[in-house]
Amino acid sequence: MRKILLLLFILPLALTSFAQDEAQTPVQALQDLFSNPQKRKPKIAKDKVASDGTRWVWGDYRYSYVGSSTKQKSVRMMVVGTQSESLGVNYMVCFAIHEADTPLSIKKDSPILIKFGDDSILQTKSLFHDEDKVGYLHTLPHSTFYTYDVYAYIPITDELLTGLQKGFKKIRFEVNDDIYDIEPKKDNVSEFILEEYKLIKDALQTKRSFADDF
């Protein structure tokens, strides 16, 4: 599991990551035969307070419409909000990139491009470094293979929110020091991100702390 600790989140953003606590771990993809991952509803998946006093509120994930084969590029998206006394309230979109047979790495400050429905482009950067060289082993009757997941985070800004209102067409990451494009068959994530952002924003109107109900 990947665990991210928010050390500094003051615009312009300067962030660092390392393993700390389950509160900072992205929501994991579940293998549920009765749930379409491309139609998951916006909701708060977990709301936890880390031992350093930072509260992490995670939305559930939704896969973009890019195909169903493990050999195809895919990305799932979720919203996360943080709240702390020293840094206030901040919001991010987390992109989880999934691949079979290929270890993955995304560098901090690597470029990310998002194209919206009107062909306008948002240029942003990955907030953290993340990599998966271990993978998850899948054993089937006649084959064995590994899958890998890596996470990219971007800040939620007014420019991003305005762009998502126009729809989502394409996103470009830098994965393993190379171009990694996601171009969905149709946009099923813009409204999802906007709605989940509102849910988490509303949840963070109520403050929590590590000492609550002690």
Side-chain angles (χ1 to χ4, degrees):
M1 287 189 175
R2 207 156 279 98
K3 306 170 184 178
I4 308 298
L5 175 62
L6 181 65
L7 296 179
L8 186 61
F9 208 136
I10 301 174
L11 294 177
L13 293 164
L15 298 103
T16 306
S17 65
F18 57 90
Q20 278 292 323
D21 188 85
E22 198 272 338
Q24 299 110 35
T25 304
V27 175
Q28 302 299 299
L30 302 176
Q31 296 182 2
D32 185 348
L33 296 177
F34 302 101
S35 174
N36 186 336
Q38 297 170 334
K39 295 183 178 180
R40 296 179 76 92
K41 302 296 184 182
K43 71 175 185 180
I44 294 175
K46 60 180 179 178
D47 183 346
K48 295 182 177 291
V49 180
S51 58
D52 68 347
T54 303
R55 179 183 175 191
W56 292 77
V57 182
W58 290 89
D60 205 351
Y61 67 87
R62 177 181 282 190
Y63 268 98
S64 179
Y65 276 114
V66 291
S68 57
S69 169
T70 56
K71 297 297 184 180
Q72 291 176 292
K73 294 179 179 179
S74 66
V75 63
R76 62 187 187 273
M77 307 179 192
M78 64 199 87
V79 178
V80 55
T82 63
Q83 181 185 69
S84 70
E85 290 187 5
S86 59
L87 302 174
V89 177
N90 299 279
Y91 303 94
M92 297 173 281
V93 178
C94 173
F95 301 94
I97 295 170
H98 179 82
E99 281 276 359
D101 302 324
T102 304
L104 300 172
S105 176
I106 291 180
K107 295 179 180 177
K108 182 180 181 296
D109 293 328
S110 62
I112 296 175
L113 304 177
I114 302 175
K115 182 181 289 186
F116 301 111
D118 62 350
D119 288 328
S120 61
I121 296 174
L122 170 66
Q123 299 185 44
T124 185
K125 295 180 179 181
S126 177
L127 299 175
F128 307 108
H129 170 77
D130 191 31
E131 63 182 20
D132 183 3
K133 295 183 178 179
V134 177
Y136 180 82
L137 176 64
H138 301 260
T139 303
L140 302 177
H142 301 289
S143 67
T144 300
F145 65 97
Y146 285 86
T147 58
Y148 299 83
D149 291 271
V150 71
Y151 297 89
Y153 297 76
I154 63 170
I156 293 181
T157 62
D158 290 341
E159 186 179 1
L160 175 61
L161 295 173
T162 299
L164 289 172
Q165 292 171 4
K166 304 171 185 176
F168 165 81
K169 292 182 70 173
K170 185 176 181 179
I171 187 165
R172 173 169 291 178
F173 302 96
E174 185 180 30
V175 179
N176 295 346
D177 295 319
D178 198 5
I179 290 173
Y180 188 100
D181 284 346
I182 295 292
E183 193 165 4
K185 297 175 182 178
K186 65 177 182 178
D187 175 23
N188 67 318
V189 296
S190 294
E191 286 298 321
F192 176 83
I193 293 172
L194 291 169
E195 291 176 21
E196 200 160 83
Y197 167 67
K198 184 179 185 302
L199 286 176
I200 292 176
K201 190 175 181 180
D202 289 344
L204 288 175
Q205 296 298 311
T206 302
K207 293 185 177 181
R208 290 186 60 201
S209 74
F210 186 72
D212 284 352
D213 300 323
F214 181 72

